[in-house]
Amino acid sequence: TAQQGAIDVTGQNISNANTPGYTRQVANLTTATPYNTSFGNSTISVGSGVTLDSITRARDAFTDNQFRSATSSQQYWNEKQNNFSSVQGVLNEPSSTSLSSNMDSFWSAWSNLSNDPQDAGARSVVSEQAQELTDSFHNISQQVSQLQTGMDSAVKVQVTQINTYANQIKSLNDQITQAQVSGDNPNDLEDDRDSIVDSLSKLVNVQVVQTPNLAFPGQNVTNYKVVIGNPSSATNNVLVNGSAVYALQDPPATNASGFATVTWSDGSNVDLGTNTGTLSADITARDTDLPNFEAQMDTLANGIAQSVDAISQTGQGLQSEAMGLDFFTDGSNPATTSPPDLPTVTAATITFNPDIQADPTLIPTGAVTGTVAAAIASLANGWTGLSTQIAAGDFGTDATGVSLNPVSATSLSDLYSADVAQVGVAVQQATNMNTGAGVLLTNATNQRETVSGVSQDEEMTNLILYQKCYSAAAKMISMMDDMLDTLVNMVSTTT
């Protein structure tokens, strides 16, 4: 019977060799309790055979925690790579419709206009390119906003999913405890629970702590606790403890930006740790990476607007009088001010002066010589055209009295190139880290499979072993049957 049970366990392993989440089971055969018998003047113990003591899972808690830690890290960098790739997609560099292409066309239009300030066609081209440039900035700002909204939705979904996993783990804890109290090893239920924890580790860092359940002293009953986020944090990050669930607030509260914040149901903070899980990656991208990128685009838009306006205010259109117009506005201030200002704009608010757009003759060029148009065109490669304004301090000073330039770069084109390069570096870093984390995860997976995975060769060897033992036991029973038959016949004949 014991060998038959061991064969059944082997068959279970073989049939589930490719089942996701299945853990190899082990038939634990032990010597049966011997019985005492008297022979002559002595009492001896005679073995009573073998018994199938238990069927357990081949699991190692340390290996499981290493696997889940590697999973959280790899998922973080994979999500980080995807998020930065989305930002790179917003820039769409290099292409004929990218911001750099629009900037080049804008400066080129001014250069052409400087050669013939009287040319109405050249003026129309400047007007068209100015509108395309502002549209590009608006489109980038809108796409960044959409990315933030999408990531915020992802955060909310993951909060709900974490709570769902927590309730499933709690339910399985209750079922497993009931089975353990009755003396059973509920291997399949424990596999289900481990699979859920593995899925949870993709969202947040997870650590499992198993201790004896003090409610059942003297029995093989464990208490199963799940800790998420930073395990060394002073914040209590317990998600599940036996039959108790400490859920996240769902729906989440919102911060000043209107985005979801991850807190416990009582409103206390959750320490998600660093560089672990897709939830942390999405929050970092939404609250830090995208705002930083948007700030870079705002700096570029504001630099273009203030630089062009500082020069355009010194020029005039085809009329003889100096116009002193802002070429770009923030979309809310009057298009014409007296005296003209240098409006602070963002990628979302930069606007081509509607007065100039309606009447291209107002485009300031230096009506005859085109010197103003040439100075604006020179902004593509440096600040030569702004030397007078910078020297005069027209851009104001900072808190220490230092004169402010429109941007801290050698030119507007260089500033944008640096922004693009920074995004590219971020993508490359995330890609490299994702690759490295993937190698560690592969190693952890292989190590876990060595402990818990099913080896068909090993199982076939066990099958032959148990089958031989079964046959030998059957042979022994057959011999005992023959001996008893002989004894019975002898007694019958004597009688």
Side-chain angles (χ1 to χ4, degrees):
T1 302
Q3 304 305 326
Q4 180 63 57
I7 290 174
D8 291 340
V9 172
T10 303
Q12 171 79 351
N13 288 338
I14 292 173
S15 60
N16 286 281
N18 297 317
T19 301
Y22 178 79
T23 302
R24 177 171 58 90
Q25 297 184 6
V26 179
N28 298 306
L29 300 176
T30 60
T31 303
T33 303
Y35 63 90
N36 297 328
T37 185
S38 298
F39 278 90
N41 296 325
S42 63
T43 301
I44 63 173
S45 296
V46 179
S48 60
V50 65
T51 183
L52 181 58
D53 182 66
S54 62
I55 301 174
T56 56
R57 301 187 310 151
R59 299 290 291 206
D60 180 74
F62 176 78
T63 302
D64 284 341
N65 277 332
Q66 289 294 102
F67 169 81
R68 288 160 185 159
S69 177
T71 297
S72 294
S73 178
Q74 188 275 330
Q75 288 293 308
Y76 174 87
W77 288 111
N78 183 67
E79 189 74 356
K80 195 85 168 176
Q81 178 184 347
N82 292 337
N83 291 339
F84 275 123
S85 295
S86 297
V87 174
Q88 201 172 41
V90 169
L91 293 176
N92 194 29
E93 297 286 356
S95 72
S96 59
T97 58
S98 65
L99 181 59
S100 63
S101 178
N102 292 143
M103 289 173 62
D104 290 342
S105 298
F106 179 69
W107 305 128
S108 178
W110 278 106
S111 179
N112 292 334
L113 181 59
S114 69
N115 296 326
D116 188 0
Q118 306 291 329
D119 187 355
R123 289 178 173 274
S124 296
V125 172
V126 169
S127 178
E128 292 171 1
Q129 295 302 324
Q131 189 59 50
E132 285 192 18
L133 182 62
T134 57
D135 288 345
S136 289
F137 276 116
H138 297 165
N139 183 55
I140 289 175
S141 179
Q142 290 170 1
Q143 290 191 63
V144 169
S145 178
Q146 290 171 1
L147 285 176
Q148 283 186 296
T149 301
M151 290 175 188
D152 188 55
S153 298
V155 168
K156 294 177 182 177
V157 169
Q158 289 174 85
V159 166
T160 301
Q161 188 63 65
I162 289 171
N163 285 342
T164 299
Y165 286 150
N167 288 316
Q168 291 174 344
I169 293 170
K170 180 264 182 187
S171 178
L172 286 168
N173 281 349
D174 292 341
Q175 297 177 57
I176 291 169
T177 297
Q178 292 177 4
Q180 289 178 339
V181 168
S182 66
D184 187 20
N185 288 323
N187 296 322
D188 293 337
L189 293 178
E190 291 183 347
D191 281 349
D192 291 342
R193 182 174 62 185
D194 283 332
S195 293
I196 294 172
V197 176
D198 289 347
S199 297
L200 178 63
S201 69
K202 297 178 181 180
L203 306 181
V204 289
N205 186 47
V206 175
Q207 282 202 343
V208 171
V209 180
Q210 296 191 69
T211 56
N213 193 325
L214 300 180
F216 304 95
Q219 293 181 268
N220 187 26
V221 181
T222 58
N223 183 70
Y224 195 89
K225 181 167 69 174
V226 177
V227 181
I228 65 172
N230 182 5
S232 61
S233 171
T235 305
N236 184 10
N237 282 339
V238 176
L239 180 67
V240 181
N241 189 4
S243 295
V245 173
Y246 304 94
L248 302 177
Q249 184 172 339
D250 189 17
T254 56
N255 57 22
S257 300
F259 294 138
T261 59
V262 180
T263 61
W264 296 106
S265 55
D266 62 1
S268 59
N269 293 329
V270 179
D271 185 354
L272 295 175
T274 57
N275 302 346
T276 55
T278 57
L279 178 59
S280 180
D282 286 337
I283 291 175
T284 301
R286 183 197 68 186
D287 296 345
T288 302
D289 299 331
L290 284 176
N292 288 345
F293 171 71
E294 189 171 25
Q296 292 174 335
M297 293 297 100
D298 289 344
T299 298
L300 177 63
N302 192 51
I304 291 175
Q306 293 210 1
S307 300
V308 172
D309 285 355
I311 299 174
S312 70
Q313 290 172 5
T314 66
Q316 62 187 44
L318 294 180
Q319 292 84 353
S320 60
E321 70 278 7
M323 299 303 298
L325 291 178
D326 284 333
F327 191 82
F328 291 111
T329 74
D330 65 359
S332 60
N333 290 339
T336 304
T337 60
S338 180
D341 63 355
L342 291 176
T344 299
V345 305
T346 64
T349 63
I350 184 172
T351 304
F352 177 33
N353 189 323
D355 291 342
I356 298 178
Q357 185 178 13
D359 184 5
T361 64
L362 298 178
I363 295 176
T365 56
V368 178
T369 62
T371 54
V372 171
I376 292 177
S378 71
L379 294 175
N381 302 310
W383 307 116
T384 304
L386 278 176
S387 57
T388 302
Q389 289 81 2
I390 293 176
D394 289 350
F395 295 99
T397 59
D398 63 15
T400 63
V402 176
S403 178
L404 295 174
N405 292 340
V407 287
S408 56
T410 58
S411 70
L412 291 163
S413 296
D414 287 342
L415 176 65
Y416 181 63
S417 296
D419 293 340
V420 173
Q422 186 173 342
V423 174
V425 169
V427 172
Q428 187 61 46
Q429 180 196 21
T431 301
N432 292 338
M433 294 298 294
N434 185 28
T435 301
V439 172
L440 294 178
L441 177 58
T442 299
N443 292 337
T445 302
N446 292 338
Q447 186 176 2
R448 193 191 208 193
E449 279 296 307
T450 300
V451 175
S452 304
V454 176
S455 168
Q456 293 285 14
D457 292 338
E458 181 181 359
E459 297 303 326
M460 292 304 297
T461 300
N462 289 339
L463 186 61
I464 294 172
L465 174 64
Y466 296 139
Q467 190 270 333
K468 291 293 185 182
C469 291
Y470 183 92
S471 297
K475 181 65 175 177
M476 178 182 172
I477 292 174
S478 178
M479 291 179 64
M480 292 176 65
D481 182 62
D482 290 342
M483 292 171 64
L484 288 172
D485 183 61
T486 300
L487 180 60
V488 170
N489 287 336
M490 289 175 62
V491 172
S492 298
T493 301
T494 301
T495 302

